[in-house]
């Protein structure tokens, strides 16, 4: 029987764009072959990375350029990328911009290639030309306030701890490292330049459209969409692994105002369809495969948005397979 001991070291690395905080993992239990060097950077505005403002009009390219600068500073010319949630979108955009620098891409419950909110259909058609229903104005203000004040309790269903337990994870599963995860959530920089970002009024339900700054605007379909993923060359292999019971990235996503309107949680809904996030991702990846790429979808039952935390054995086995291909 092999016993695994992971030693995590955190450090800050200066680049030509900003200073990035990253965690490096030394795996002493033999879970990864010796030739792999796990590196987990914080995105700007999260963790210990410099909280530079996010220009959302570039979609996720501020994050992509930060990652390229970091890999350059580390002397890494080609990497296996693993991206969770919005990080999956960063990985997809990185693949579009730097395909020769990607050995493989693993998507873990990723944001749709057509952003978050404000679209319908598998091809990500906008619900409104102004992107209504997406962007900074769609965040719950109580959650934002509790992040900003450092709420570590569970007295509200919108406290960071409750959101982690009830939405990121599939109840009733709770992590033994929950306190550490909550502390990490509380490093989120809030405001118009960070989370959730700014917004503008819209004449179209639900009355808000994306602004030009911050986290939720950089994943608005007005600024982020990957219609041309199937055209990249070369095409490294893509692993798409997701929890079957994810309620955040779903075809009926609980953080999408259109779905919330459909179930009566947001007033004034007039039939705007929910964003089919999983179907959109499958559509884009099917086009990638039809264009000559290799795609593998792994669906893990009885797991939610944080499948890598809830079901690490299944996640690790799938990841090792793509790393060894």
């Amino acid at each position: 029987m092999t016993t695994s001991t992971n030693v995590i070291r955190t450090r800050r690395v200066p680049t030509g764009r900003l200073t990035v905080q990253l965690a490096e993992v030394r795996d002493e239990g033999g879970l990864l072959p010796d030739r792999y060097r796990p590196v987990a950077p914080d995105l700007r505005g999260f963790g210990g990375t410099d909280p530079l403002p996010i220009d959302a009009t570039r979609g996720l390219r501020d994050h992509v350029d930060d990652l390229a600068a970091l890999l350059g500073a580390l002397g890494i010319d080609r990497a296996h990328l693993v991206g969770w949630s919005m990080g999956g979108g960063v990985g997809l955009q990185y693949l579009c911009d730097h395909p020769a620098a990607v050995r493989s891409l693993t998507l873990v419950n990723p944001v749709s290639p057509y952003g978050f909110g404000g679209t319908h259909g598998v091809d990500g058609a906008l619900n409104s030309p102004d992107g209504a229903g997406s962007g900074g104005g769609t965040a719950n203000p109580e959650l934002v306030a509790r992040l900003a004040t450092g709420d570590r309790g569970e007295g509200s269903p919108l406290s960071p701890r409750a959101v982690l337990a009830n939405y990121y994870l599939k109840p009733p599963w709770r992590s033994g490292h929950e306190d550490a995860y909550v502390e990490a959530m509380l490093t989120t920089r809030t405001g118009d330049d960070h989370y959730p970002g700014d917004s503008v009024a819209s004449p179209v339900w639900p009355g808000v459209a994306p602004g030009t700054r911050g986290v939720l605007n950089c994943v608005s379909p007005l600024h982020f969409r990957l219609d041309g993923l199937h055209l990249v060359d070369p095409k490294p292999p893509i692993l798409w692994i997701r929890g079957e019971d994810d309620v955040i990235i779903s075809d009926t996503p609980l953080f999408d105002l259109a779905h919330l309107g459909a179930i009566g949680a947001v007033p004034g809904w007039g039939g705007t369809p929910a964003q089919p996030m999983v179907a959109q991702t499958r559509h884009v990846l099917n086009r990638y495969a039809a264009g000559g790429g290799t795609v593998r979808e792994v669906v893990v039952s009885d797991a939610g948005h944080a499948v890598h935390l809830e079901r690490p054995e299944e996640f690790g086995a799938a990841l090792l397979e793509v790393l060894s291909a």
Side-chain angles (χ1 to χ4, degrees), residues 133-274:
S134 68
T138 66
N140 189 293
E142 183 179 342
L143 171 60
V144 177
R146 289 178 180 274
L147 285 169
T149 58
D151 181 3
R152 293 170 172 79
E154 202 171 348
S156 164
L158 290 168
S159 70
R161 187 179 298 272
V163 169
L164 171 66
N166 296 315
Y167 298 102
Y168 280 80
L169 307 170
K170 181 185 177 182
W173 192 87
R174 300 290 286 256
S175 169
H177 303 286
E178 185 174 283
D179 287 346
Y181 296 144
V182 171
E183 290 302 317
M185 293 173 74
L186 294 176
T187 67
T188 303
R189 184 67 63 96
T190 59
D192 285 351
D193 284 321
H194 301 289
Y195 182 83
D198 63 343
S199 64
V200 298
S202 171
V204 178
W205 186 91
V208 292
T212 61
R213 301 150 60 195
V215 172
L216 292 188
N217 293 313
C218 74
V219 290
S220 161
L222 201 63
H223 306 308
F224 170 72
R225 55 184 304 121
L226 300 176
D227 294 294
L229 183 71
H230 62 292
L231 300 176
V232 303
D233 183 33
K235 289 182 170 65
I238 295 178
L239 167 66
W240 175 25
I241 182 167
R242 60 185 182 87
E244 186 176 34
D245 300 317
D246 187 359
V247 298
I248 296 176
I249 303 298
S250 163
D251 286 344
T252 53
L254 283 182
F255 289 0
D256 177 17
L257 293 186
H259 177 64
L260 291 175
I263 62 176
V266 176
W269 181 72
T272 302

Side-chain angles (χ1 to χ4, degrees), residues 4-324:
S4 175
T5 302
N6 292 325
V7 179
I8 300 176
R9 180 177 68 133
T10 300
R11 63 186 176 107
R12 283 168 52 84
V13 178
T15 76
R17 289 176 56 80
L18 78 174
T19 297
V20 176
Q21 179 167 293
L22 57 81
E24 294 176 299
V25 182
R26 187 171 75 244
D27 175 17
E28 297 183 345
L31 294 180
L32 288 176
D34 291 340
R35 65 183 182 276
Y36 294 115
R37 174 189 178 188
V39 175
D42 295 335
L43 299 179
R44 62 169 64 193
F46 297 96
T49 291
D50 289 349
L52 270 62
I54 297 169
D55 179 359
T57 65
R58 304 186 69 228
L60 288 168
R61 283 194 167 95
D62 271 356
H63 301 301
V64 166
D65 292 348
D66 292 347
L67 178 57
L70 173 64
L71 293 177
L74 295 175
I76 300 172
D77 58 352
R78 295 182 68 220
H80 295 278
L81 299 182
V82 181
W84 174 41
S85 199
M86 188 178 82
V90 175
L92 285 165
Q93 186 67 69
Y94 196 96
L95 173 58
C96 288
D97 294 352
H98 307 281
V102 180
R103 294 182 182 271
S104 70
L105 172 60
T106 296
L107 304 172
V108 186
N109 294 77
V111 65
S112 164
Y114 300 122
F116 197 101
T119 68
H120 63 276
V122 297
D123 58 353
L126 287 171
N127 294 336
S128 172
D130 65 356
S134 68
T138 66
N140 189 293
E142 183 179 342
L143 171 60
V144 177
R146 289 178 180 274
L147 285 169
T149 58
D151 181 3
R152 293 170 172 79
E154 202 171 348
S156 164
L158 290 168
S159 70
R161 187 179 298 272
V163 169
L164 171 66
N166 296 315
Y167 298 102
Y168 280 80
L169 307 170
K170 181 185 177 182
W173 192 87
R174 300 290 286 256
S175 169
H177 303 286
E178 185 174 283
D179 287 346
Y181 296 144
V182 171
E183 290 302 317
M185 293 173 74
L186 294 176
T187 67
T188 303
R189 184 67 63 96
T190 59
D192 285 351
D193 284 321
H194 301 289
Y195 182 83
D198 63 343
S199 64
V200 298
S202 171
V204 178
W205 186 91
V208 292
T212 61
R213 301 150 60 195
V215 172
L216 292 188
N217 293 313
C218 74
V219 290
S220 161
L222 201 63
H223 306 308
F224 170 72
R225 55 184 304 121
L226 300 176
D227 294 294
L229 183 71
H230 62 292
L231 300 176
V232 303
D233 183 33
K235 289 182 170 65
I238 295 178
L239 167 66
W240 175 25
I241 182 167
R242 60 185 182 87
E244 186 176 34
D245 300 317
D246 187 359
V247 298
I248 296 176
I249 303 298
S250 163
D251 286 344
T252 53
L254 283 182
F255 289 0
D256 177 17
L257 293 186
H259 177 64
L260 291 175
I263 62 176
V266 176
W269 181 72
T272 302
Q275 180 184 7
M277 299 180 183
V278 173
Q280 289 176 350
T281 298
R282 186 173 293 113
H283 171 71
V284 168
L285 294 184
N286 283 346
R287 294 185 74 191
Y288 184 85
T294 299
V295 175
R296 181 185 178 213
E297 179 182 354
V298 176
V299 182
V300 180
S301 61
D302 199 32
H305 188 60
V307 61
H308 53 302
L309 303 182
E310 298 168 271
R311 303 290 288 275
E313 295 83 6
E314 290 92 329
F315 171 78
L319 178 61
L320 280 175
E321 186 170 324
V322 76
L323 292 179
S324 303

